[in-house]
Amino acid sequence: GASYFYLNGTDNSDWLKVRVVGTFSDPQAFGTQVSVYEAGTTNLVGYSQVQSQVGYEGFNSLIQHFGVPAAGTYDVFAVFPRTGAIASAEAVATAQTITLTEPAPSTTGAEHWETYR
């Protein structure tokens, strides 16, 4: 059958995009788990895992897209699969794309992550 490309044309003012970059794992950071919480809380508002493909003739975006309320700020965590290293950003506003880069394996960010596990 034919392949189709769908474009969501809705108002996207309430969003947050997260690009993860592997340095010790692979550069595309496949398998990285990205979690978004309301800032300063343990209220999970979004979770995604970087995947290369789901379905036939498809390729997933390497940028993880979360729909979130515009009024809030968010804490974002990325857990890299090969090293277990954690990159984070706190009190992130909406309507932007942030980049989280895999830190050296000795830098885990555990002091922040333990709150959310």
Side-chain angles (χ1 to χ4, degrees), residues 98-114:
I98 64 169
T99 299
L100 296 178
T101 302
E102 181 180 21
S106 61
T107 307
T108 64
E111 67 277 3
H112 300 294
W113 180 245
E114 289 302 319

Side-chain angles (χ1 to χ4, degrees), residues 2-109:
S3 295
Y4 296 94
F5 177 78
Y6 293 96
L7 177 63
N8 183 350
T10 60
D11 178 8
N12 63 351
S13 63
D14 304 328
W15 55 271
L16 178 62
K17 293 181 183 180
V18 181
R19 175 187 300 116
V20 292
V21 178
T23 53
F24 297 90
S25 300
D26 67 280
Q28 294 82 18
F30 292 129
T32 299
Q33 299 174 22
V34 181
S35 301
V36 177
Y37 295 86
E38 290 178 5
T41 73
T42 58
N43 296 330
L44 180 69
V45 295
Y47 171 85
S48 185
Q49 186 173 22
V50 179
Q51 299 177 359
S52 62
Q53 177 180 343
V54 175
Y56 177 69
E57 289 187 357
F59 189 83
N60 292 354
S61 173
L62 297 178
I63 298 173
Q64 306 307 295
H65 188 156
F66 299 93
V68 293
T73 58
Y74 302 91
D75 295 337
V76 183
F77 295 91
V79 180
F80 293 83
R82 183 173 178 204
T83 62
I86 300 168
S88 63
E90 297 179 15
V92 176
T94 59
Q96 65 175 316
T97 301
I98 64 169
T99 299
L100 296 178
T101 302
E102 181 180 21
S106 61
T107 307
T108 64

